[in-house]
Amino acid sequence: MTVDHLVPISGATEGELRPETVLTSHGRTLVVTDNASGHSVRVTPASLYHYNCRQVTAKTGQLQLVQGIAALDADGLVLLDLPGEWHKPDLDLFAHRAGIPLLDARSYPPARVRAVLASRAPGWQRLRGLRPLFPRKWHKPLAICAGIAGMALMAYLASLGMWAAWRAVSSLGRFLLEIFESKWLMVAFSPALLVLRPVFGRTNRWQVRRGTLLPSAGRGGPYLKANSSGKLQIFHGTELTATRQIGASPREAFSLLLYQYDSLTGLFILDVAGSPLYHLPGHWLPKHAHTFTKRHNLSLAVHRISREEYLNLTRTTKEATP
């Protein structure tokens, strides 16, 4: 079943361009297309969260109404944030036809809305539907030039002992990153990344080959590690999000299941009884998973699962750390 598409009627804040975001549904699976960038995302949310939130915007520094839709998972974590003004009657009809619960949070206190939007699931994304400030092909050369200039500036400030100025430059960098949300701009204010990033990349690939690290394919996704005490750790970026003992006792990590259901892929961490402990959507390479599980005495299964199996596994996943 394909539900009629839905588009925003204006920008997330007053005076902003209308996002080129199109939302369609195949059953309960949402397909979000950002026509400005050509990027498309498929998610199966447990609910939609229609919000308004007054906050200080980066453009004007004034208090403005920011609005949009957030797609939430079963735990209330944000899978997708879609800024823009969405017509409420059309949104109600869309959610009804798709069979997805819609929560109207436009009258909620701003602090409550901000708390919900800050609770992000692994792999969280925000699709603005707006064309980037600079064409994507210029991102890399601009980042390299900015990095060289940043290193020269940092070296000059260090030679003069101007540490206060150094901190001011770092603060300016964080401010600009908040405005543009451009990861490449980080290079201008972290010049060491020009040197350290290739080193980190080689180190990570070496860890994957040895089986000490299991990353999801693509950048920015979750990854698994095991520490010296035999505990399986789940990281997202530099943040440790969960830990579970490896073993054959109930509620301990015993096996990994790499699944494919329709167009969805991911990984379940199971205990010895086959009960799911964690669900990590994304693409995981079986050869890397085999090396990782063999090193840490975990079982591994790679299956195409049915709709019933998928729904049962996601419904019974228990992610509370003991």
Side-chain angles (χ1 to χ4, degrees):
M1 177 183 69
T2 301
V3 180
D4 294 341
H5 69 272
L6 186 68
V7 297
I9 58 177
S10 65
T13 57
E14 184 178 357
E16 189 177 75
L17 294 174
R18 173 179 172 175
E20 297 181 39
T21 309
V22 179
L23 182 61
T24 57
S25 174
H26 299 271
R28 292 178 62 93
T29 298
L30 298 183
V31 181
V32 184
T33 304
D34 182 347
N35 288 328
S37 65
H39 185 50
S40 181
V41 178
R42 293 171 64 96
V43 295
T44 305
S47 61
L48 296 177
Y49 189 80
H50 191 194
Y51 66 86
N52 287 341
C53 180
R54 292 194 176 277
Q55 63 183 33
V56 177
T57 60
K59 278 187 177 181
T60 63
Q62 298 177 345
L63 192 66
Q64 287 191 330
L65 185 68
V66 178
Q67 48 203 337
I69 304 171
L72 308 182
D73 66 9
D75 296 318
L77 303 180
V78 180
L79 299 168
L80 278 177
D81 185 13
L82 307 172
E85 181 184 349
W86 302 80
H87 192 227
K88 183 63 168 60
D90 292 342
L91 182 58
D92 287 337
L93 180 61
F94 179 88
H96 175 72
R97 289 179 174 176
I100 304 173
L102 173 64
L103 178 61
D104 188 353
R106 293 177 298 167
S107 61
Y108 286 11
R112 181 176 175 184
V113 174
R114 285 194 293 268
V116 171
L117 297 179
S119 302
R120 300 171 178 177
W124 167 90
Q125 296 184 63
R126 174 180 289 140
L127 271 64
R128 292 190 174 277
L130 300 175
R131 300 193 180 279
L133 183 62
F134 299 105
R136 190 169 298 275
K137 66 180 181 179
W138 291 103
H139 281 190
K140 186 173 181 178
L142 281 173
I144 293 174
C145 293
I148 294 173
M151 281 193 291
L153 177 60
M154 294 297 189
Y156 176 72
L157 294 176
S159 67
L160 298 179
M162 300 175 64
W163 304 112
W166 182 304
R167 289 192 292 271
V169 172
S170 298
S171 299
L172 174 63
R174 288 192 294 270
F175 174 72
L176 292 177
L177 285 169
E178 287 293 329
I179 293 178
F180 296 109
E181 294 187 345
S182 300
K183 294 181 180 178
W184 62 267
L185 192 60
M186 189 182 299
V187 177
F189 300 95
S190 300
L193 290 180
L194 288 174
V195 177
L196 295 180
R197 183 174 176 181
V199 175
F200 288 151
R202 287 179 178 273
T203 302
N204 285 342
R205 289 192 292 272
W206 177 72
Q207 290 179 321
V208 170
R209 289 195 300 269
R210 294 182 66 242
T212 58
L213 175 70
L214 177 59
S216 58
R219 298 175 58 185
Y223 61 93
L224 304 180
K225 296 185 74 173
N227 61 20
S228 57
S229 60
K231 289 187 177 181
L232 185 66
Q233 300 174 313
I234 304 174
F235 286 86
H236 187 79
T238 58
E239 181 183 0
L240 176 62
T241 59
T243 302
R244 183 74 63 161
Q245 183 67 42
I246 297 174
S249 299
R251 314 308 300 160
E252 292 184 344
F254 180 77
S255 64
L256 303 184
L257 169 62
L258 273 61
Y259 72 86
Q260 181 176 355
Y261 158 61
D262 194 10
S263 61
L264 304 177
T265 58
L267 177 150
F268 283 102
I269 301 175
L270 310 176
D271 68 6
V272 68
S275 300
L277 305 175
Y278 300 98
H279 178 208
L280 302 173
H283 184 57
W284 303 77
L285 295 179
K287 65 176 183 178
H288 294 162
H290 173 74
T291 306
F292 182 84
T293 53
K294 184 178 180 181
R295 181 181 180 91
H296 300 292
N297 297 317
L298 291 162
S299 297
L300 173 65
V302 182
H303 292 309
R304 181 184 295 274
I305 61 177
S306 66
R307 179 176 184 273
E308 291 72 20
E309 290 173 319
Y310 176 80
L311 293 177
N312 182 60
L313 286 168
T314 53
R315 188 183 303 117
T316 56
T317 298
K318 306 297 183 183
E319 295 193 349
T321 302

